[in-house]
Every structure is written in structure tokens, then in C-alpha cells.
Amino acid sequence: RMKKDYFKKFKEQDFVRAYEEELKSLGASAPYVSRDDVILRALHSGKGRYYISFEEASRNVRRIMNRLPLTCRNELKVSMYQELAQRVAEYMKEKPLASFKDTLFTILAEEKASRFFFGMQTARLILYRNQRGETV
């Protein structure tokens, strides 16, 4: 339970920061860009990480590598695990002596994810709560 909240805080902070950076980068044109467009830009900014525990990542990446179905139904979560599995495979091809554990640990610790793996609704909620001073 605590673990999930622990990652949630960082995920929300990072997303709010990415949103604010996107807004800033628009400069004078910011007022003419819809909020949802800015949210989309932030979601795909590549400024997030993989906000999951090593255990959860390990279990799901191994399932993918062993061609087993994932138990989670959330499409974005599934694509996150697929991305992780792909990165693990690429890393291990480049460094054949690296163990699965070390590889996964390194990627989780050092690499940014290609996107924030949640949708518009969650993004809007995070921003709404942030503006009301409830999170972050």
C-alpha cells in the first residue's frame, strides 16, 4: 500500500512539472493552445519514469519475455511493461554478461519512460488536485 502511494507522489509531481514546462515552452502562444493539447504534450514528453516497484516490474517483464499473458487489463500499463521488456532485451543484447535483475534495476533507476503511462482523465485529475493544493 505504502509503495503505491510512494510512486504516485513522484508520478504526479513529475507530471505537473512536465505540464508546466510544456506551458512555458509555448511562450506567447500558450493562451491559444487548448489545455488538453498541453496535457497531451506533457503525457508524451518523455519526462516521466516507470513508477513501479522492482518486484512488480520483474514479474510482468518476465511474463512478457516468457510469452505469457499479463494479468493487468489496463492498456497503458500493458504497453509500459512491453516497453520495459523491450528495453531489457536490448540492454542484455548489448551487455551479454548483465543479469536480468541488474538490467531491470538499471533501467528502472536510470532511464526515462517514453511517456507517462496514464490517460487524459488521470492527467486532468492530477492537475485539478494540484491547482487546489491537494497533492504535490
Side-chain angles (χ1 to χ4, degrees):
R1 184 80 213 117
M2 184 230 113
K3 265 243 170 80
K4 232 179 171 64
D5 292 338
Y6 172 82
F7 287 111
K8 188 177 178 214
K9 192 181 101 176
F10 289 113
K11 176 173 75 180
E12 295 190 357
Q13 283 176 338
D14 289 349
F15 179 71
V16 169
R17 201 174 302 123
Y19 177 83
E20 287 167 353
E21 284 171 17
E22 288 302 324
L23 216 53
K24 208 176 287 165
S25 75
L26 289 167
S29 60
Y32 308 103
V33 179
S34 80
R35 191 157 188 259
D36 280 358
D37 278 350
V38 182
I39 289 174
L40 269 177
R41 290 170 67 139
L43 281 174
H44 294 275
S45 62
K47 290 183 175 148
R49 298 188 163 276
Y50 301 102
Y51 304 95
I52 43 168
S53 68
F54 178 83
E55 292 76 23
E56 195 184 343
S58 178
R59 194 170 51 245
N60 289 297
V61 168
R62 277 192 195 278
R63 288 189 75 85
I64 289 170
M65 293 177 115
N66 294 323
R67 292 179 165 53
L68 295 166
L70 294 179
T71 50
C72 71
R73 291 278 155 259
N74 182 325
E75 249 175 78
L76 284 169
K77 257 205 157 137
V78 169
S79 60
M80 175 185 70
Y81 291 126
Q82 286 168 338
E83 178 175 300
L84 262 175
Q86 192 183 343
R87 290 193 176 178
V88 166
E90 286 166 6
Y91 187 99
M92 290 175 83
K93 204 191 273 170
E94 281 173 36
K95 299 188 169 70
L97 298 177
S99 70
F100 172 81
K101 262 187 154 160
D102 288 346
T103 299
L104 182 60
F105 189 82
T106 301
I107 290 167
L108 288 175
E110 295 174 9
E111 289 194 19
K112 296 259 199 256
S114 66
R115 59 161 295 168
F116 285 92
F117 289 98
F118 51 83
M120 288 298 285
Q121 283 305 109
T122 304
R124 288 192 199 106
L125 188 65
I126 290 169
L127 293 172
Y128 172 74
R129 285 207 309 255
N130 178 59
Q131 275 154 353
R132 291 185 49 196
E134 288 176 28
T135 53
V136 197

